[in-house]
Each structure stands twice: as C-alpha cells, then as structure tokens.
Amino acid sequence: MYLSIKAVVIILFLFIGSAVWAQKTNGNSIGIGVLAAGDEALYYGAYGKYTMPLSQNKHHFTLGFSMVAYFDFKGESEPDAYLKNDVDMRLIPSANFGYTLNFNRIQISVEVPVGVGFASTKGTLVNERIGFERDFSNNETFFNYGLSFSPKYKINSANRLGLYGFLPLVSDKAQSGYQIGIGWTKTFGHK
C-alpha cells in the first residue's frame, strides 16, 4: 500500500508540473462509453458522465457526475463450492473530483470518484464434495471511492480511445478490486 501511495504522489507532482504546458482548458461535456476491465475477472461495462470545470478561467480542476454499470460472467469459487451460470452486476453512481490536462490529442485525467455501489450476483451454487446444487442470489450496497487514472487519445473532436485504471481506497463487502482496462468515449457538447 505504501508503494501505491508513493506512486500516486509522484504522478500528481508530474501532473501539476506539466500543467504549465497544457494547451487548453476544459469545458462542460457529456460522455458515454464502453469499457472492459478487471483484475480477477474480466468485466464488461458502460458509463455515462457529465463533466464541468470548477472555474471560468484557465482551469484543470473538474467535477463530474457519472453512472457506471458493469458485468462479469466468471463463476466465483471457494475451496468447497463454486458458482456456475452466474452473472455479477455492479451499478455505481458517483461524483468525480478531478484534475484534467489536455495536450494536442492527449487528455490525461486523475479523479477521485466518490459514490454508492450496488452489487448483485445470481447463479447456481454447486458443492461437488457433498453433492448439492441450489439457486444463489446475493445483493450488497456499499460505499465506493478510490483513485482513477485515464489517459485518452483524441481520435477526433468527439471520440476518444484510452486506458482506464481504478484503485479502490476502501475494502467493501462486494470485494471490489482494482481495475485496469481499455475504453472508448463519445463526447457531446464539448466547448
């Protein structure tokens, strides 16, 4: 954990230092996108996000509101039991406090998303050792916050392709882990 915090501090200093060379400011925008990410399982998802600058001068600080939904189809397993034919769904509305820099065709953002998450898992619980199968369903609501990092390449004025990384800063009941993935964003109304 100490190494992660040290890496985050170094990245933030690099962003603050590079703000001098950022070419333009951020404007109000609405973005939608798709994402594939994961650590122990591959999650497929979609998101919508409204982002606005926090000042009217040359600025890099932003506030955004987002809704993320993602799914995985890999069965969870324990030493004596596992889930088959399961679907794990997460729904996370959040407020995102961020710092975004724009260079020619590259946009780099660091954000702290703070929100509430809802996780739902449904499937068939199987224990072959004692020989049973039964339907399984579990729902969890949890507080979700962390640190996200996303460098994006601007294909044109409305489309961006980029990487996405999320490091949770709290351990929740749904065992949400870090995520590293690739995503596409379509932006509307960017000034």
Side-chain angles (χ1 to χ4, degrees), residues 3-184:
L3 185 60
S4 298
I5 293 172
K6 188 175 179 181
V8 168
V9 169
I10 290 171
I11 289 171
L12 286 176
F13 278 122
L14 290 174
F15 281 127
I16 291 169
S18 63
V20 174
W21 294 285
Q23 296 174 340
K24 63 181 181 175
T25 61
N26 299 301
N28 294 343
S29 66
I30 297 172
I32 59 172
V34 294
L35 174 64
D39 57 357
E40 64 194 35
L42 187 60
Y43 286 90
Y44 305 94
Y47 63 91
K49 183 176 179 183
Y50 173 73
T51 304
M52 61 187 165
L54 290 179
S55 74
Q56 297 304 315
N57 300 322
K58 184 162 181 161
H59 44 74
H60 303 289
F61 291 99
T62 60
L63 174 63
F65 300 96
S66 66
M67 176 68 76
V68 178
Y70 60 92
F71 304 85
D72 88 343
F73 304 98
K74 177 187 176 215
E76 305 292 326
S77 63
E78 295 292 325
D80 293 326
Y82 63 92
L83 282 177
K84 72 176 186 178
N85 302 324
D86 76 312
V87 175
D88 187 10
M89 187 266 310
R90 308 285 169 99
L91 186 63
I92 304 172
S94 65
N96 304 285
F97 304 96
Y99 187 74
T100 301
L101 298 174
N102 298 287
F103 306 94
N104 287 331
R105 295 177 96 47
I106 305 294
Q107 181 183 58
I108 301 171
S109 298
V110 174
E111 293 182 323
V112 177
V114 177
V116 176
F118 174 73
S120 178
T121 302
K122 294 185 185 300
T124 303
L125 184 63
V126 177
N127 187 324
E128 293 175 350
R129 193 181 74 166
I130 59 174
F132 80 88
E133 286 189 19
R134 68 177 174 100
D135 289 339
F136 175 83
S137 178
N138 186 39
N139 296 320
E140 295 285 346
T141 302
F142 54 92
F143 183 61
N144 184 1
Y145 73 94
L147 183 66
S148 73
F149 174 72
S150 59
K152 295 178 184 173
Y153 177 76
K154 295 178 188 177
I155 298 169
N156 56 37
S157 63
N159 294 290
R160 296 179 182 150
L161 183 64
L163 299 175
Y164 172 80
F166 176 74
L167 175 66
L169 298 177
V170 65
S171 179
D172 59 55
K173 295 183 283 187
Q175 299 176 348
S176 301
Y178 68 89
Q179 293 187 358
I180 298 172
I182 187 166
W184 164 80

